[in-house]
Amino acid sequence: MQMNEEIYERTVEPIYDVHEKPKSSEWLLLSSQHLFAMFGATVLVPYLTGLPVSAALIASGLGTLLYILITKGQIPAYLGSSFAFITPIIVGLKTHDLGEMLVALFMSGLMYVIIGFLIKLSGTDWLLKLLPPVVVGPVIMVIGLGLAPVAVNMAMYTDSGAATGYNGKYLIIAGVTLLTVIAFNIFAKGFFSIIPILMGIIAGYITAVMLGVVDFTGIAKAHWLQLPEIYMPYRDYTPTFDWVLIMVMIPIVFVTVSEHIGHQVVINKIVGRNFFKNPGLHRSLMGDGISTMVASLIGGPPSTTYGENIGVLAITRIYSIWVIGGAAVLALILGFVGKFTALVSSIPTPVMGGVSILLFGIIAASGLRMLVESKVDFGNKRNLIIASVILVLGIGKAHIDFTVQNIHLNIEGMALAALAGILLNLILPEAKVHE
């Protein structure tokens, strides 16, 4: 069963289409929305792994610009730090030096490029047969719903990672942020109707200041201009090939490729174009891989397309590649402006939690819309079984654990759910059997 081209037909008209340049007076604010949407997750990865935050920001901006170039300026996607590599990096750095780790991450990016070349040679028909709407729709829902606890925890708890320390102030801040985004999205007129995310962040930040949640210490201490902290080969580390570590890292690429394809399908649906064919899935995968390779050279984490920014596309109906590129340039600047870095870093987690509640929900709703508009028949037991297994495995965060050379790894959530869905789609017979 192949994906029907009709699922890519545009259902709403964009305010700015992919190649349309926004007005100069709007450009900065529109790009700022994407900057703020990606910031929290992008800096969280280096914070957890011990890699430099500045390197992650610069890698994010540079990687996105490279992605735009490689995809011929046709796909409005922003690249940030990948969560899939967090555990391997943390554990791997305990037993390997920095040079070995960064080379392993570089090879992971190279694997992306190799997969892209294979798809270029063999086409995408086989891929689309593996990923019909009955598989992709629920996987997209899992991407959004699987992130739901992250958004809710940020909105409610002082320690969002452990979901402890319930805080009423946090809930108020997140509520104000969310309601502001909704209000500007539904009721605002003119320019303010297309920057609801940014307005929500501003309202949430002001509320947080009033409630005494914002810490201004970092802003006061930061310099206006500063050299970013990045790692340079042979200055800060010696590139070293450790093939055991490389063989541990490379399989993780297949997890992130699944995520990449899921995000790509969402962007296809939102924008109303089949980017699998033009400029081609091979180009988007190569763009992701080359961005990861560049990030590893300066000590940044691997790159991936970002669900938060896809949510911004859906809410604002602004698909302009110029806006995405502007956000990438702002990220590059951010790595050099100490005061701005400190200001954005001071945004409390409940503000981002309030925004994420809507962004992640929209991603999940996009998967549901694909099922509806593709007319997936749930009277067919086969379709019902495939969707049910994907949703429960993904949202339930089922996982498979294994250990290689004392490095503990696992495949969980969306990746495992997608694998199960693909296998069921291949194994179960096509015959329609109704209840």
Side-chain angles (χ1 to χ4, degrees):
M1 180 164 51
Q2 187 168 335
M3 283 189 183
N4 194 321
E5 289 293 328
E6 293 178 357
I7 67 174
Y8 298 118
E9 291 180 358
R10 178 174 290 158
T11 55
V12 293
E13 286 302 312
I15 294 173
Y16 287 114
D17 209 344
V18 175
H19 295 111
E20 293 179 338
K21 186 185 296 186
K23 299 175 183 177
S24 299
S25 58
E26 301 174 350
W27 198 348
L28 178 62
L29 289 177
L30 293 176
S31 293
S32 295
Q33 286 195 125
H34 282 281
L35 177 73
F36 284 107
M38 69 84 185
F39 187 87
T42 294
V43 301
L44 180 61
V45 175
Y47 175 80
L48 294 175
T49 58
L51 297 175
V53 172
S54 297
L57 288 171
I58 291 174
S60 169
L62 185 58
T64 299
L65 293 176
L66 287 170
Y67 183 88
I68 291 172
L69 178 64
I70 293 167
T71 58
K72 301 180 179 180
Q74 295 188 39
I75 305 178
Y78 193 93
L79 273 62
S81 305
S82 173
F83 276 62
F85 288 86
I86 290 177
T87 300
I89 292 175
I90 293 174
V91 177
L93 284 175
K94 292 180 180 178
T95 55
H96 296 76
D97 63 32
L98 182 64
E100 293 171 333
M101 175 58 67
L102 293 181
V103 168
L105 296 179
F106 181 91
M107 297 300 289
S108 298
L110 180 60
M111 188 64 190
Y112 252 108
V113 176
I114 293 172
I115 293 173
F117 272 118
L118 292 176
I119 289 176
K120 178 176 174 60
L121 293 174
S122 61
T124 60
D125 288 346
W126 62 273
L127 184 63
L128 298 181
K129 288 179 181 178
L130 288 178
L131 299 169
V134 70
V135 172
V136 176
V139 169
I140 293 171
M141 294 174 69
V142 166
I143 293 173
L145 296 177
L147 291 169
V150 176
V152 172
N153 290 347
M154 286 194 298
M156 295 176 59
Y157 299 106
T158 52
D159 185 356
S160 57
T164 58
Y166 174 83
N167 192 309
K169 290 182 179 180
Y170 273 35
L171 195 57
I172 292 172
I173 295 167
V176 169
T177 304
L178 175 60
L179 291 175
T180 301
V181 174
I182 294 172
F184 273 87
N185 192 49
I186 299 297
F187 302 110
K189 303 295 183 182
F191 177 65
F192 287 103
S193 66
I194 59 177
I195 55 169
I197 307 298
L198 184 59
M199 297 309 297
I201 290 173
I202 292 173
Y205 192 89
I206 293 172
T207 304
V209 171
M210 294 171 61
L211 294 177
V213 173
V214 180
D215 183 3
F216 295 102
T217 305
I219 300 174
K221 292 181 178 180
H223 298 289
W224 280 105
L225 293 176
Q226 62 183 28
L227 290 175
E229 183 185 359
I230 60 175
Y231 294 145
M232 298 299 294
Y234 299 105
R235 186 194 72 179
D236 302 303
Y237 69 92
T238 301
T240 306
F241 284 83
D242 185 297
W243 291 106
V244 173
L245 185 60
I246 290 171
M247 295 309 296
V248 168
M249 288 293 176
I250 284 179
I252 302 170
V253 172
F254 294 96
V255 177
T256 54
V257 165
S258 300
E259 181 183 30
H260 179 100
I261 293 171
H263 285 170
Q264 194 79 316
V265 171
V266 179
I267 297 174
N268 287 350
K269 183 59 189 172
I270 291 172
V271 179
R273 298 180 185 178
N274 188 348
F275 294 127
F276 283 151
K277 289 191 174 181
N278 188 23
L281 179 60
H282 66 285
R283 283 188 173 272
S284 64
L285 285 171
M286 288 179 187
D288 211 335
I290 291 173
S291 297
T292 292
M293 293 164 71
V294 171
S296 68
L297 290 176
I298 63 173
S303 303
T304 185
T305 47
Y306 256 28
E308 293 90 333
N309 296 87
I310 295 172
V312 173
L313 294 178
I315 290 175
T316 63
R317 292 186 293 127
I318 295 172
Y319 314 141
S320 172
I321 205 74
W322 296 93
V323 171
I324 298 293
V329 172
L330 288 176
L332 286 170
I333 295 172
L334 185 62
F336 291 85
V337 182
K339 289 288 187 185
F340 188 46
T341 305
L343 174 64
V344 179
S345 298
S346 71
I347 297 176
T349 54
V351 173
M352 300 312 299
V355 170
S356 298
I357 287 172
L358 186 58
L359 294 185
F360 296 156
I362 285 176
I363 294 172
S366 296
L368 179 60
R369 187 172 71 178
M370 172 175 284
L371 292 173
V372 172
E373 295 181 359
S374 300
K375 298 180 175 59
V376 174
D377 180 12
F378 283 107
N380 181 337
K381 291 181 180 180
R382 178 183 187 277
N383 292 338
L384 185 63
I385 289 170
I386 292 172
S388 299
V389 171
I390 290 173
L391 289 172
V392 173
L393 290 180
I395 298 173
K397 296 190 181 300
H399 58 92
I400 298 175
D401 294 316
F402 56 97
T403 301
V404 179
Q405 292 293 320
N406 297 321
I407 298 179
H408 179 73
L409 301 171
N410 67 76
I411 300 176
E412 65 173 315
M414 189 272 292
L416 183 59
L419 178 61
I422 290 170
L423 291 176
L424 287 174
N425 179 59
L426 294 174
I427 294 170
L428 297 180
E430 291 281 353
K432 294 186 176 181
V433 181
H434 290 77
E435 298 266 355

